[in-house]
């Protein structure tokens, strides 16, 4: 529900924009001077006090100015923010990175690197924890007399490579035989069916090794995958210079891949602000996320993570545009 009249909305917008840019509490005098609201500084001061009572603003103890609360940012995102398409330069960068990706991992890695550089925030991507993703191709290739590489290609574009130690004396004929067996065991099978895969009875060591590797890969991939880039950019944010403990909280969450995966893929709003994050260690942060697809199949999530004081208009538009570019590329790649 829209709880603010037009003047209060304009003042809240001014506070958000000024605080995002300057990282300092915003005083009524600044708003009166910089924004044409046609009211006195005293009137603006009264409005700021009222919005503080309503919960949209907060007043730091040592300052006469105001800063947005989590509820204030939420109101801004829901009722005031007007994200526009990224500028042409950023659009071309995003499209260029997306079109150059040959595998899902490469595509997501380069896309998150770009998002992190443009926004100066932490960027992340997940590959959907989908047990019904199917195996498109699986094969073992010999790298040497006693080493091999299992290549696992999935229907969502993900490619998984695992080094394996071949039994001594493995021949090309045996490699051909085991690859035929791998195709029989995995072709078009969903990952869920492979997590408990067992070797056929009376099989040789190479087939047993291949079966064990397939089972391990399937178990690992159904846990979900998280890619992160740009953590170093957060060190430059004023909030974290003042309180390094906030970064320690985030690092703790990054170390817990399962918790971070859940936070990035959580249902509900595409933008979770501060206390809206269920993970206690993420409550000082905002997450802006969008889902990307292969055709109509959900394939994962693209996100940026930063302090609640971030540029919502830019962040929302860039994440939306990137997710769409990734979706378009993946859909073409897997046709």
């Amino acid at each position: 529900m829209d709880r603010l009249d037009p003047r209060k909305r304009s003042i809240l917008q001014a506070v958000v924009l000024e605080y995002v840019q300057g990282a300092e509490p915003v005083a009524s005098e600044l708003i009166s001077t910089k924004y044409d609201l046609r009211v006195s500084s005293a009137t603006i001061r009264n409005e700021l006090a009222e919005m503080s009572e309503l919960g949209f603003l907060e007043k730091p103890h040592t300052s006469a100015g105001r800063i947005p609360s989590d509820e204030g940012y939420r109101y801004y995102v829901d009722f005031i923010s007007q994200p526009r398409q990224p500028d042409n330069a950023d659009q071309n960068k995003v499209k260029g990175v997306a079109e150059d990706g040959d595998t899902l991992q490469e595509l997501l890695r380069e896309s998150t690197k770009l998002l992190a550089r443009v926004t100066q925030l932490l960027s992340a991507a997940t590959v959907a924890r989908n047990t019904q993703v199917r195996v498109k191709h699986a094969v073992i290739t010999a790298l040497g007399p006693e080493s091999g590489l299992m290549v696992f290609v999935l229907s969502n574009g993900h490619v998984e490579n695992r080094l394996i130690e071949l039994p001594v004396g493995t021949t090309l004929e045996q490699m051909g035989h085991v690859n035929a067996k791998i195709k029989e065991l995995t072709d078009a099978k969903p990952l869920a069916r492979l997590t408990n895969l067992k070797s056929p009875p009376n099989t040789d060591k190479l087939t047993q090794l291949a079966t064990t590797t397939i089972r391990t890969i399937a178990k690992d991939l159904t846990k979900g995958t998280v890619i992160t880039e740009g953590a170093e950019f957060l060190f430059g944010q004023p909030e974290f210079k003042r309180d390094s403990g906030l970064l320690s909280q985030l690092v703790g969450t990054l170390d817990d891949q399962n918790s971070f995966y859940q936070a990035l893929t959580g249902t509900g709003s595409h933008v979770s602000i501060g206390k809206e994050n269920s993970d206690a260690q993420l409550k000082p942060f905002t997450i802006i996320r969008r889902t990307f697809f292969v055709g109509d199949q959900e394939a994962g999530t693209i996100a940026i993570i930063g302090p609640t004081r971030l540029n919502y208009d830019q962040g929302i538009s860039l994440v939306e545009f990137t997710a769409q570019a990734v979706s378009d590329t993946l859909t073409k790649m897997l046709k």
Side-chain angles (χ1 to χ4, degrees), residues 172-182 204 206-207:
L172 290 177
E173 183 180 357
Q174 289 172 319
M175 291 290 290
H177 173 77
V178 79
N179 278 324
K181 179 57 69 174
I182 289 172
D204 56 53
L206 183 58
T207 303

Side-chain angles (χ1 to χ4, degrees), residues 93-317:
K93 290 176 186 176
V94 171
K95 288 179 179 177
V97 165
E99 291 170 358
D100 287 343
D102 293 326
T103 66
L104 176 59
Q105 299 99 309
E106 181 184 352
L107 175 59
L108 295 181
R109 179 69 67 189
E110 294 305 314
S111 295
T112 52
K113 282 181 181 179
L114 178 61
L115 266 181
R117 286 197 303 269
V118 174
T119 63
Q120 296 290 289
L121 298 171
L122 175 68
S123 179
T126 69
V127 177
R129 187 179 291 173
N130 187 348
T131 59
Q132 296 309 306
V133 170
R134 294 179 181 273
V135 178
K136 190 174 181 181
H137 180 66
V139 66
I140 294 179
T141 58
L143 300 178
E146 297 180 8
S147 63
L149 181 71
M150 174 168 278
V151 181
F152 223 62
V153 182
L154 301 182
S155 60
N156 65 355
H158 184 80
V159 179
E160 189 75 12
N161 297 317
R162 296 291 173 94
L163 289 171
I164 59 174
E165 185 176 341
L166 300 177
V168 177
T170 298
T171 65
L172 290 177
E173 183 180 357
Q174 289 172 319
M175 291 290 290
H177 173 77
V178 79
N179 278 324
K181 179 57 69 174
I182 289 172
K183 179 177 176 61
E184 177 186 328
L185 292 172
T186 66
D187 194 37
K189 301 289 195 309
L191 289 176
R193 288 184 56 183
L194 302 179
T195 57
N196 295 307
L197 184 66
K198 295 180 180 179
S199 298
N202 303 316
T203 55
D204 56 53
K205 288 184 178 180
L206 183 58
T207 303
Q208 292 175 12
L209 174 63
T211 305
T212 300
T213 305
I214 292 168
R215 185 170 62 245
T216 301
I217 291 174
K219 286 181 177 179
D220 289 346
L221 293 181
T222 52
K223 292 177 183 176
T225 303
V226 180
I227 295 169
T228 58
E229 291 288 344
E232 67 275 11
F233 292 123
L234 294 181
F235 288 98
Q237 297 291 339
E239 292 87 344
F240 307 130
K241 289 181 178 179
R242 291 191 291 263
D243 185 357
S244 60
L246 293 178
L247 270 183
S248 297
Q249 288 182 223
L250 181 59
V251 170
T253 302
L254 294 180
D255 287 341
D256 184 348
Q257 289 272 298
N258 186 61
S259 294
F260 195 48
Y261 181 95
Q262 295 287 356
L264 293 174
T265 58
T267 57
S269 174
H270 290 306
V271 182
S272 54
I273 302 169
K275 296 181 179 64
E276 296 171 0
N277 291 305
S278 57
D279 189 322
Q281 296 191 95
L282 289 173
K283 292 192 183 298
F285 301 90
T286 283
I287 302 174
I288 298 175
R289 62 176 76 77
R290 284 296 185 276
T291 301
F292 60 87
F293 298 82
V294 177
D296 59 359
Q297 177 185 346
E298 184 176 321
T301 305
I302 288 276
I304 57 172
I305 303 94
T308 54
R309 183 197 58 82
L310 59 74
N311 187 331
Y312 287 91
D313 295 354
Q314 179 203 43
I316 291 170
S317 64

